[in-house]
Amino acid sequence: TNYVANINFKLVNNLKFKGDYTKTIALDKSKNKDGTHSQFWNKNLIYTPVYKQNYSLIFQNGIVHIHFGYEHTGKQWITRDNIYTPIDDYEILFLKNSLTFKIKKYEITFSGDFNNLLNTEYEIYKHTPQPGFNWGLSLKIKINTVPMQDINGDEIIDILEYCMEKNYPVRLVFHLITLIAIKNRTNDSW
C-alpha cells in the first residue's frame, strides 16, 4: 500500500516548487502450497523504501532551465526475514541546468548535471556504494528541418534504397525508418 502526497505550485513567474512524499507499506503476503502463511508472512519486502520524498525548485524561461532538487529515501530491508539491519536512509541534493538557444535551423542545448552535491555515502543495494559527488556536461544539437508528417510509404522505400546505396549501416537505416514511423503515428511536426 502506498500513501502519496503531491504538491506543485508556481512561486513567481518562471519559478515553481514541486514535492511528493510516498509512504509505503509493503509486506510479504506469500503462502505455502498448503495455504498456510509462509515464514516471511508480514515481513517487509526487500529493497522497498519505507518512504521516499522529493522536493524541487525549478526555474524555466525557455532559454534557461535550472532544477535544484532534494531526495530523501527511507531505510530498506535486505533479507526476506528482516533479521539483518536494513540499509540506512539517505539524502541527496542535485542541480541540473541547461541553456538552450536557436541559430537558424539549429537548436543548441548545453547541459550540466551535478549529482550528490554533499558527497553523501549511501547504498541502494547492500554492499553496493553509490558515487559521491559527480557531474556531467552535454551538448545537444537539434536540426529542425522539413516536417516529416507528409512522408508516405514510397518515400520511406526511397530513403531506404538511398541509404543502402550509400552503404549506411543497417542499424542506422532501421532507426531512421522507426523515427519516421513514430513521427507519422504521433502526427507531430519536427
Side-chain angles (χ1 to χ4, degrees), residues 12-77:
V12 292
N13 217 11
N14 300 325
L15 182 64
K16 65 182 174 180
F17 175 82
K18 290 175 70 173
D20 62 77
Y21 177 87
T22 303
K23 168 75 172 161
T24 301
I25 300 172
L27 302 176
D28 191 327
K29 298 296 183 183
S30 59
K31 294 185 178 183
N32 298 319
K33 289 181 183 180
D34 63 4
T36 60
H37 296 164
S38 76
Q39 66 182 3
F40 307 114
W41 180 263
N42 268 350
K43 300 290 184 182
N44 291 292
L45 293 180
I46 62 171
Y47 296 112
T48 303
V50 175
Y51 62 87
K52 188 163 186 150
Q53 53 187 332
N54 300 295
Y55 302 103
S56 297
L57 279 174
I58 302 166
F59 174 83
Q60 188 168 5
N61 69 1
I63 297 172
V64 175
H65 178 95
I66 301 170
H67 180 169
F68 178 73
Y70 165 82
E71 296 176 356
H72 187 185
T73 301
K75 68 180 178 180
Q76 300 176 65
W77 295 94

Side-chain angles (χ1 to χ4, degrees), residues 116-135:
N116 197 357
L117 294 173
L118 300 178
N119 204 28
T120 303
E121 291 183 18
Y122 70 103
E123 298 175 317
I124 56 173
Y125 296 108
K126 193 67 173 171
H127 307 296
T128 309
Q130 297 303 297
F133 171 74
N134 62 90
W135 56 273

Side-chain angles (χ1 to χ4, degrees), residues 11 14 19 30 38 49 60 66 76 107-109 115 139-140 179 183 187:
L11 295 169
N14 300 325
S30 59
S38 76
Q60 188 168 5
I66 301 170
Q76 300 176 65
E107 183 178 285
I108 301 168
T109 303
N115 303 302
L139 170 65
K140 180 170 91 174
L179 288 172
K183 168 67 200 85
N187 202 18

Side-chain angles (χ1 to χ4, degrees), residues 88-137:
D88 291 333
D89 65 323
Y90 58 88
E91 299 172 293
I92 302 294
L93 291 176
F94 64 86
L95 177 66
K96 299 179 183 302
N97 53 60
S98 64
L99 175 65
T100 302
F101 55 94
K102 294 181 181 180
I103 301 175
K104 296 183 182 180
K105 64 179 183 175
Y106 302 100
E107 183 178 285
I108 301 168
T109 303
F110 293 102
S111 298
D113 293 350
F114 303 90
N115 303 302
N116 197 357
L117 294 173
L118 300 178
N119 204 28
T120 303
E121 291 183 18
Y122 70 103
E123 298 175 317
I124 56 173
Y125 296 108
K126 193 67 173 171
H127 307 296
T128 309
Q130 297 303 297
F133 171 74
N134 62 90
W135 56 273
L137 301 174

